[in-house]
Amino acid sequence: MDSSEATEPRFDYGAFSFASKSEVLAKAKEFWNPDKTQFWSDAGIPLVIDRREEYFIYDMSGKRLIDVHLNGGTFNLGHRNAEVVQAVTLAMQHFDIGNHHFPSLARTALAEALVASAPPGIGKVVYASGGGEAIDIALKTARHATQKRKIISIVKAYHGHTGLAVGTGDDRFSKLFLSDRPEEFPHVPFNDLEAMERELRGRDVAAVIMETIPATYGFPLPDPGYLEAVKSMCERYDALYIADEVQTGLMRTGELWGITKHGIAPDILVTGKGISGGMYPIAAVLLNERCAGWLREDGFGHISTFGGAELGCIAALKSLEICVRPETRSMVHYIADFIGAGLRRIQAEHPDWFVGIRQNGVVMGLEFAHPQGAKFVMRHLYDNGVWAIFSTLDPRVLQFKPGILLKPELAEELLDRVEVGISKAWREVRGARGRLR
Amino acid sequence: MSETVELATQPLGIPRGRAMLERAEWAGRAFARYDAPTVRRIVAAAAEAGAARSKELAEQAVAETGFGVAEHKVIKNLACSTGLLETYGDHDYVSMRLDPAGKIVEIPRPAGVVLALTPSTNPVATVYFKILIALMTRNAIVISPHPYASRVCAEAARTMADAAVAAGAPDGAVQWVEEPSIPLVSALMTDPRTDVIVATGGTAMVRAAYRSGNPAIGVGPGNVPVLVDRTANLQRAAQRIVDSKSFDNSVLCTNESVLIVEEAVADRLLQHMRHAGAYLLSDPERDQVRAALFPDGHFDIRFVGKDAAWVAEQAGVRVGPRTRVLLAPFDLPVPEEMLAHEKLCPVLGVLRVPSAARGVEAASAILRIGGAGHSAAIHSEDPHTIMSYGAAARVLRVAVNVGNSLGSSGIETNLAPSMTIGTGYFGRSSVGENLQPEHLVNWTRLAYNAEATEVMADFSGLSPWRAPAGPVPAYPLASNAGQQPVAPVASAPQRDQVDELREEIRRLIVDELREIIRG
């Protein structure tokens, strides 16, 4: 008996099994992604997510983490949200991915629901299998509608890694694959209206694409009036305004779409991540009638086998329904208020270290007084049971994204853990500086 | 097709209900830190808003349920809105209580989330009542109305909720279920976010509340005996009993069920009652009414809250159109006598007894059949009889020389005015009093060392509570929004406007009351 137990794999998932976490890590390096695997080991985050439920993820070791990364809002509603799971499970008794060529039940139902939820002017929905593809659809649509080629994005923008989307983002990801095209994709500094106007003035721009709050750049907030001014410039110079609401949509700012807090009716709105309910990949591009021309001219213009997979549509319908409940909106306001006040309290105790809070609803960026500050905090939060990620394009800033259904007691526990993690990170940074001196 | 139908009809209600409790939890936590002046303002605003619509909603209640009399419901609606404000105006369930002699400080701690089940018979009044006692004690409340009255209850709850939030209550402090169902109510009752259930309704619902595993205040049904002895002022007693039995067509659980009268004064009492609008059924007529009301041994709910003339007509009995109460004589108060059971319509059983002492025993017999712990009434001038009645009947309130409908519910007595009558241990309930704000708050006691050398600190002037700085929760503006002119938030009405509004509401109430009195 003893010997057979010893040979039993400890981590048996039915379809596969591993003897240990170190086996997973070794094989991940061998067969999957050696650099990424090594990166997290080096960063002191040896995480392999096993069990997941509500706002908790569990490492293979059993260590529990409160998830405030949420993969950019993918897990907005928590991990394996019971209502979404139930909806998708039931749907599997009847639906599969579906045939993208034909009009479909679930795609039509979701499109109608998305249009009903959208800012004024939106009338059509195009589906993608993920955010990058959705951005590509948005950019192609803008080019078709305006018959112009240039797309303006901001410096350090992030809109995904697909063919066109990658051109709008940081060079790090485009040059690696020889995909940078600066002549078609000018980048202008964020919050710089003059630079924006210089690029637009030539009237050769198809669209400006903006995240309502640039996530991967650490959620720098648009200056008051900035987005509004960009939108009116777009109108003046005949460019379209594409709102990338992948991270700011779905109630994260306390309204369903963050852009509506600016009174902006975008020409195109892109949603992804959270719309999947974290259960079945799907993304969507919402178009106003001017942009919808190609859907009348050549509806086969963009083809995507998995885009708008019907099971994904069901997950999205349920996720959207949860997001638009009045109770959900109210709770987001409570959570934003409570967490914001708690963070300001913690900040007041670490004024030289925790130097800024960027917040709009439950979209938050925490600034630290060190060029790599957020990496220190990330690791100490990890040690103290909280998973939040640094901003790839500004590692001073920690992305802090509590779920929109966070319960009061978990919110309190989260703040307790964050306070300790931030203090410990400060001690480490201060100690390191002391030693350097 | 069947699969898609199943997809489309996944009950939204239960997840929405759970979301309401979750929102209520946030609201309750914020509310629990409010100070007394803010709470008083919120309660007054909600009560006045409720009172202003009392007539309109009374009519809606009758239209929706078919139960009761609109003008009587107005009285209850007012009693359970501005009336409660008067009763509890001086009470404070928010401030700390200091007992320097006992060296104890008491800090009020609200339950948190109150789940209130409300009945179809007294829909608006019960909704008003429960919302106000929740607000007085800084609790968030979720109303789950009886399905027969769900529209008018939603309207009543919305009225008070809007006024409360406009006066500064936390968002979501008052919520209501739009489409109640048994599975939804069960889910809400057993949800760990429910801190206390206040159940007014049928026995099954009340027992389910107790079984839920959550703290519950549930109350059982009534079956009210009213004893009239030879010392009573017969004319007044007759008038009061007829008025009470016909009030809102007997839908209050405190309505009289069986009149027990001492033989020596029975004929005179019944004569007075006939003058007051009662009709004494002959034995064959009595049998027809019994058969109509209890067709299969159970009370037919078609008769709930219907007027006497309609009931008589359905039973095939001819009575004058001004008949307010049907008197149904019977001899033996035993379970198989259906007329000895609760009747939520203006049919009053009549039992003659040879003496007041036998009357007390008959009342006990009625209460063995139903209504344990609830209420009884007596009309008498003899303190011995009144005392022995109160000591024998297994009820927790006895209304003396007053109609029981409004007597035991505290509207025409100095009992706590209530739509929810605690039936105590006799009635398998945790509460023996009329439900009141005190039941929704616990107190944390700071207890000092009793030794004389240990002196209690001076807490006077201290308060752990604060007035909110603005709407709760604050609207989530971007954290750099201070740099721009913020979108104007609807400002609270100025003091003068509030006073004007109050004056206007007072005028409306007075007008309505006048109409009722004239009517």
Side-chain angles (χ1 to χ4, degrees):
Chain A
M1 281 300 282
D2 281 2
S3 62
S4 75
E5 266 175 25
T7 56
E8 286 280 314
R10 270 191 57 213
F11 299 97
D12 189 348
Y13 302 89
F16 55 84
S17 66
F18 292 98
S20 65
K21 183 169 163 182
S22 54
E23 189 198 350
V24 178
L25 291 174
K27 287 188 171 169
K29 271 191 200 171
E30 187 182 350
F31 299 113
W32 177 66
N33 190 325
D35 176 62
K36 213 183 239 187
T37 306
Q38 190 61 45
F39 174 87
W40 289 114
S41 294
D42 295 346
I45 313 280
L47 175 63
V48 178
I49 299 168
D50 188 348
R51 205 148 65 80
R52 48 209 97 177
E53 63 195 6
E54 299 176 15
Y55 290 109
F56 302 118
I57 51 180
Y58 294 80
D59 179 54
M60 285 178 75
S61 66
K63 178 183 176 61
R64 189 195 80 165
L65 295 149
I66 302 174
D67 188 358
V68 286
H69 171 202
L70 303 180
N71 283 61
T74 305
F75 305 109
N76 233 351
L77 306 175
H79 292 271
R80 297 192 304 109
N81 177 286
E83 288 186 63
V84 179
V85 168
Q86 192 199 17
V88 174
T89 307
L90 265 174
M92 279 196 278
Q93 310 305 311
H94 190 88
F95 292 102
D96 53 17
I97 283 166
N99 185 329
H100 58 281
H101 285 300
F102 294 98
S104 112
L105 293 164
R107 276 196 292 279
T108 305
L110 175 61
E112 186 178 6
L114 281 169
V115 167
S117 81
I122 298 293
K124 292 276 187 295
V125 176
V126 186
Y127 294 109
S129 52
E133 185 191 352
I135 295 291
D136 277 16
I137 293 169
L139 301 184
K140 293 201 297 184
T141 297
R143 286 176 166 183
H144 175 271
T146 59
Q147 292 299 306
K148 298 190 272 193
R149 202 169 282 272
K150 257 192 199 173
I151 305 289
I152 300 177
S153 57
I154 63 156
V155 174
K156 304 277 185 190
Y158 181 95
H159 299 284
H161 292 258
T162 45
L164 297 178
V166 77
T168 64
D170 196 59
D171 287 352
R172 172 180 163 189
F173 303 120
S174 50
K175 285 190 168 160
L176 179 65
F177 300 109
L178 316 184
S179 300
D180 54 319
R181 276 174 284 181
E183 66 293 346
E184 287 180 23
F185 294 95
H187 298 178
V188 302
F190 186 52
N191 274 334
D192 185 340
L193 283 170
E194 281 179 28
M196 182 64 77
E197 186 156 22
R198 268 199 302 279
E199 287 295 341
L200 281 166
R201 208 175 277 140
R203 307 186 77 90
D204 59 346
V205 172
V208 174
I209 182 165
M210 299 276 267
E211 275 190 285
T212 304
I213 309 168
T216 312
Y217 196 11
F219 296 119
L221 296 173
D223 287 342
Y226 172 68
L227 295 181
E228 294 84 339
V230 171
K231 174 68 167 76
S232 57
M233 279 181 196
C234 286
E235 287 164 14
R236 196 173 324 137
Y237 299 114
D238 189 36
L240 300 175
Y241 185 100
I242 303 173
D244 180 341
E245 285 274 325
V246 170
Q247 294 225 27
T248 47
L250 300 172
M251 210 48 91
R252 293 205 58 79
T253 66
E255 299 295 349
L256 186 66
W257 306 112
I259 195 69
T260 61
K261 290 176 84 173
H262 297 271
I264 292 174
D267 299 291
I268 300 177
L269 185 150
V270 180
T271 182
K273 293 195 188 291
I275 195 74
S276 70
M279 290 308 301
Y280 200 102
I282 185 166
V285 189
L286 282 59
L287 309 178
N288 68 13
E289 284 305 324
R290 178 185 172 192
C291 295
W294 70 267
L295 291 168
R296 289 183 285 266
E297 189 181 321
D298 181 358
F300 294 84
H302 179 90
I303 287 182
S304 176
T305 302
F306 294 163
E310 292 197 87
L311 290 172
C313 290
I314 303 280
L317 267 170
K318 177 50 73 179
S319 303
L320 188 65
E321 188 262 310
I322 296 172
C323 288
V324 300
R325 288 176 189 164
E327 293 82 16
T328 304
R329 180 174 178 273
S330 175
M331 280 189 277
V332 173
H333 294 193
Y334 274 111
I335 296 164
D337 197 16
F338 181 81
I339 299 279
L343 288 174
R344 285 192 295 278
R345 240 178 2 253
I346 296 169
Q347 189 188 16
E349 289 175 10
H350 305 84
D352 301 328
W353 168 231
F354 184 5
V355 293
I357 299 171
R358 302 161 172 178
Q359 181 182 1
N360 192 343
V362 290
V363 173
M364 302 181 204
L366 316 186
E367 296 170 70
F368 296 94
H370 184 285
Q372 303 285 318
K375 290 188 178 172
F376 290 89
V377 177
M378 173 180 75
R379 194 173 63 251
H380 284 281
L381 288 182
Y382 182 82
D383 290 345
N384 287 283
V386 175
W387 171 232
I389 197 165
F390 69 97
S391 305
T392 310
L393 302 177
D394 186 357
R396 292 182 313 118
V397 183
L398 186 79
Q399 295 185 21
F400 196 78
K401 294 172 276 193
I404 64 170
L405 303 177
L406 196 67
K407 294 174 166 56
E409 287 188 357
L410 190 59
E412 287 176 348
E413 182 188 326
L414 173 65
L415 286 173
D416 290 347
R417 291 174 181 276
V418 165
E419 177 161 22
V420 171
I422 286 177
S423 293
K424 287 190 169 173
W426 176 223
R427 248 172 282 158
E428 190 194 352
V429 169
R430 227 173 15 182
R433 279 178 185 164
R435 279 198 299 281
L436 287 172
R437 268 189 233 116
Chain B
M1 191 60 198
S2 64
E3 291 91 335
T4 50
V5 167
E6 192 181 343
L7 282 172
T9 56
Q10 267 190 75
L12 286 180
I14 290 175
R16 274 294 297 279
R18 293 197 194 283
M20 281 181 194
L21 293 178
E22 192 76 48
R23 179 187 189 184
E25 198 178 351
W26 279 104
R29 288 165 82 98
F31 205 7
R33 308 200 65 81
Y34 273 42
D35 67 337
T38 310
V39 171
R40 269 198 294 276
R41 210 169 51 236
I42 290 166
V43 171
E48 283 161 10
R53 296 192 70 191
S54 55
K55 181 159 181 268
E56 178 194 348
L57 294 182
E59 286 160 3
Q60 271 188 40
V62 174
E64 185 174 351
T65 63
F67 301 158
V69 181
E71 61 209 62
H72 295 161
K73 288 187 185 295
V74 176
I75 294 171
K76 292 191 297 185
N77 295 350
L78 289 172
C80 289
S81 52
T82 37
L84 281 184
L85 206 54
E86 280 163 32
T87 309
Y88 294 112
D90 303 335
H91 291 61
D92 180 350
Y93 305 96
V94 177
S95 304
M96 290 197 302
R97 293 175 183 169
L98 304 182
D99 171 13
K103 295 203 289 187
I104 287 177
V105 180
E106 296 181 320
I107 303 174
R109 310 302 297 276
V113 177
V114 176
L115 173 65
L117 311 183
T118 63
S120 56
T121 44
N122 306 292
V124 176
T126 310
V127 166
Y128 279 0
F129 173 73
K130 289 185 176 177
I131 289 175
L132 286 182
I133 65 170
L135 292 175
M136 285 174 189
T137 48
R138 301 180 299 169
N139 282 291
I141 183 167
V142 175
I143 303 280
S144 178
H146 191 282
Y148 283 4
S150 59
R151 286 198 307 278
V152 74
C153 286
E155 206 47 42
R158 183 180 298 114
T159 301
M160 283 200 166
D162 289 352
V165 170
D171 183 51
V174 177
Q175 299 176 77
W176 57 94
V177 170
E178 296 271 359
E179 288 171 24
S181 67
I182 300 280
L184 172 57
V185 174
S186 308
L188 297 181
M189 286 200 296
T190 52
D191 193 291
R193 286 164 287 214
T194 295
D195 290 303
V196 61
I197 304 164
V198 182
T200 312
T203 308
M205 192 55 86
V206 170
R207 297 324 307 168
Y210 278 118
R211 276 197 307 274
S212 69
N214 279 320
I217 301 172
V219 297
N223 188 29
V224 178
V226 48
L227 176 62
V228 179
D229 76 0
R230 66 178 72 217
T231 70
N233 180 322
L234 298 178
Q235 188 179 352
R236 281 195 210 156
Q239 187 67 45
R240 285 168 180 155
I241 294 168
V242 171
D243 285 350
S244 174
K245 185 61 191 172
S246 58
F247 184 80
D248 210 5
N249 290 339
S250 295
V251 293
L252 279 167
C253 56
T254 44
N255 85 85
E256 286 86 348
S257 181
V258 177
L259 167 64
I260 301 164
V261 56
E262 223 182 314
E263 184 63 64
V265 295
D267 288 338
R268 273 191 292 147
L269 179 74
L270 295 180
Q271 186 59 34
H272 284 301
M273 290 179 80
R274 278 203 294 271
H275 286 311
Y279 176 86
L280 182 61
L281 298 165
S282 67
D283 285 358
E285 286 171 338
R286 182 262 332 266
D287 293 344
Q288 280 166 257
V289 167
R290 185 201 283 122
L293 292 186
F294 297 94
D296 55 357
H298 295 285
F299 187 73
D300 182 344
I301 59 162
R302 283 192 309 129
F303 290 96
V304 172
K306 295 297 194 301
D307 62 49
W310 192 86
V311 173
E313 191 192 324
Q314 294 295 307
V317 175
R318 294 175 65 91
V319 300
R322 301 175 71 88
T323 301
R324 298 163 69 199
V325 171
L326 305 179
L327 299 173
F330 65 88
D331 297 327
L332 196 55
V334 289
E336 66 267 30
E337 171 52 79
M338 283 297 126
L339 292 168
H341 292 251
E342 187 183 31
K343 298 167 288 297
L344 292 174
C345 68
V347 175
L348 181 65
V350 178
L351 190 61
R352 292 168 183 248
V353 287
S355 65
R358 285 292 302 134
V360 170
E361 286 166 9
S364 296
I366 297 294
L367 291 163
R368 279 198 300 274
I369 294 166
H374 205 281
S375 53
I378 185 166
H379 298 263
S380 168
E381 299 299 328
D382 179 352
H384 294 286
T385 301
I386 297 170
M387 181 184 69
S388 49
Y389 189 65
R394 286 169 67 84
V395 294
L396 295 173
R397 53 198 67 63
V398 175
V400 182
N401 296 337
V402 62
N404 200 62
S405 282
L406 297 179
S408 281
S409 56
I411 293 169
E412 291 184 350
T413 59
N414 293 319
L415 293 171
S418 190
M419 286 294 115
T420 301
I421 307 298
T423 50
Y425 305 133
F426 290 151
R428 304 176 71 200
S429 170
S430 58
V431 167
E433 299 163 286
N434 287 4
L435 185 71
Q436 49 201 289
E438 188 74 41
H439 293 128
L440 300 182
V441 64
N442 288 153
W443 300 80
T444 298
R445 294 184 170 82
L446 313 179
Y448 269 75
N449 189 331
E451 235 173 63
T453 51
E454 194 63 48
V455 179
M456 181 169 124
D458 181 9
F459 290 87
S460 51
L462 296 183
S463 171
W465 318 131
R466 297 285 171 271
V472 174
Y475 184 79
L477 295 171
S479 54
N480 63 346
Q483 300 162 27
Q484 68 183 342
V486 169
V489 177
S491 56
Q494 296 301 302
R495 196 69 224 155
D496 288 355
Q497 290 171 270
V498 173
D499 288 345
E500 271 174 38
L501 192 66
R502 288 213 180 110
E503 195 45 54
E504 174 66 26
I505 290 164
R506 257 183 231 117
R507 262 199 309 278
L508 283 173
I509 294 166
V510 170
D511 288 350
E512 278 169 7
L513 281 172
R514 239 183 246 129
E515 275 177 41
I516 291 162
I517 292 162
R518 274 200 222 105

